[in-house]
Amino acid sequence: MELVRRSRAMKDLARQAHGRGRRIGFVPTMGALHEGHLTLVRRVRELTDVVVLSIFVNPLQFGASEDFDTYPRDLTRDADLCVAESVDWVFAPGEEEIYPPGAQTTVEVAEISGRIEGASRPGHFRGVSTVVLKLLEIVRPDVAAFGQKDAQQTAIIRRMVKDLMLDVEILVVPILRDEDGLALSSRNARMSPDERRAALAIPRALEAARKLVEAGQRQAERIVAAAREALQAEPALSIDYVQLVDPTWFEPVTHVAGEALLVVAAWSGGTRLIDNTFLRPA
């Protein structure tokens, strides 16, 4: 495993790999790696010849009151995990490598970026799409992998790749959950035991909605109400949103006719968690 700090060096390595006819797999992360990230590494390893994992805590996607300064960072631990997974290159640039002094250009996918998660975190997806486009330009992967837990993010990235005619396959890997059902997240480590127990109301809410649809319920209002009721049963949890949307444009739906996506965001203590599940008629 080689640690790469400079964008130019990473570009040169990617160019050389392509010149030798090797396919590049890419896993963009903000570090604090967990089994979910490593699952992405294993999936792209199956499809490509060399694997690049980036570690960059992107300031552009954090709001003024969010946790940029306290976001977990441990490059040594992350690098050790990458060595164990036979990652070829870890690209860990400094902030000025990605946003040189005087940089003015950002990228935004209209409409979808302002909905649901985007409404709760204005400007967040502008930061995501900008940094992902930059990383794709630097690494030039054939396949880039993202996790389904960040469902709206993956929809936005897919739209951006299509609209800008980028030559990369976007692979979305299903959510990986801990034994207790909580979706794996770098932020989980920040919760106290009591906060984690409270957070388990989130997968319970998703399961309540899924069972209701399996029983024949199709009305979005009733499905959302069932999920919200499960969340409200945990008084230590603070709900941000619970919505049923179509999984491509993230517009609210009134009933489950085909595939719909239930999306949830809630606070457990000082930790904001997101989760989702697909709902399909039997």
Side-chain angles (χ1 to χ4, degrees):
M1 190 276 291
E2 182 178 350
L3 180 64
V4 185
R5 291 289 201 170
R6 299 292 185 184
S7 298
R8 173 53 59 189
M10 187 67 251
K11 284 187 174 186
D12 289 343
L13 288 168
R15 187 179 300 111
Q16 292 165 18
H18 282 306
R20 295 193 297 270
R22 307 184 78 187
R23 283 168 52 82
I24 297 175
F26 180 43
V27 179
T29 82
M30 293 204 300
L33 302 182
H34 52 67
E35 188 63 24
H37 297 116
L38 303 183
T39 298
L40 301 182
V41 169
R42 294 166 197 146
R43 285 292 291 118
V44 298
R45 170 68 71 192
E46 294 171 356
L47 301 171
T48 60
D49 304 303
V50 295
V51 176
V52 181
L53 182 142
S54 67
I55 297 174
F56 180 67
V57 184
N58 177 32
L60 216 61
Q61 69 190 65
F62 288 80
S65 61
E66 294 182 347
D67 59 347
F68 174 73
D69 291 333
T70 59
Y71 194 87
R73 295 166 171 87
D74 190 342
L75 183 57
T76 300
R77 172 189 171 276
D78 289 344
D80 288 343
L81 289 172
C82 288
V83 169
E85 292 295 330
S86 300
V87 171
D88 295 278
W89 296 309
V90 170
F91 179 46
E95 188 172 329
E96 289 192 357
E97 284 291 307
I98 301 299
Y99 302 114
Q104 298 293 310
T105 305
T106 58
V107 180
E108 185 165 21
V109 179
E111 295 186 12
I112 185 173
S113 291
R115 295 174 182 145
I116 318 298
E117 185 75 0
S120 287
R121 304 177 68 187
H124 169 68
F125 286 124
R126 184 189 311 117
V128 169
S129 54
T130 298
V131 77
V132 169
L133 181 59
K134 285 173 175 276
L135 291 170
L136 292 176
E137 171 62 21
I138 293 166
V139 178
R140 292 294 180 97
D142 298 277
V143 179
F146 297 83
Q148 173 61 30
K149 184 176 75 67
D150 298 299
Q152 191 170 356
Q153 171 179 287
T154 63
I156 287 168
I157 290 167
R158 279 177 158 166
R159 186 79 248 171
M160 178 183 73
V161 165
K162 182 176 182 178
D163 289 353
L164 299 182
M165 295 175 283
L166 304 181
D167 193 15
V168 58
E169 176 188 350
I170 301 300
L171 175 68
V172 179
V173 177
I175 296 172
L176 192 64
R177 298 185 180 277
D178 218 329
E179 292 181 0
D180 58 9
L182 192 66
L184 295 186
S185 170
S186 299
R187 290 183 167 93
N188 288 356
R190 296 171 49 187
M191 290 186 286
S192 69
D194 285 343
E195 289 168 348
R196 184 178 177 102
R197 280 192 291 272
L200 296 180
I202 297 174
R204 287 199 297 269
L206 300 179
E207 180 66 8
R210 186 186 63 79
K211 287 183 175 180
L212 198 59
V213 172
E214 287 182 350
Q217 181 58 251
R218 299 291 178 264
Q219 296 301 311
E221 183 177 358
R222 294 184 180 181
I223 296 165
V224 169
R228 184 174 289 275
E229 182 179 354
L231 293 170
Q232 290 173 334
E234 176 48 70
L237 208 64
S238 176
I239 301 172
D240 186 345
Y241 59 74
V242 186
Q243 295 200 44
L244 193 63
V245 299
D246 84 85
T248 301
W249 295 103
F250 275 70
E251 292 181 309
V253 298
T254 58
H255 63 283
V256 180
E259 186 173 69
L261 188 70
L262 183 69
V263 291
V264 172
W267 292 86
S268 187
T271 303
R272 186 175 183 274
L273 302 169
I274 61 172
D275 206 340
N276 64 84
T277 190
F278 287 102
L279 300 176
R280 305 171 180 89

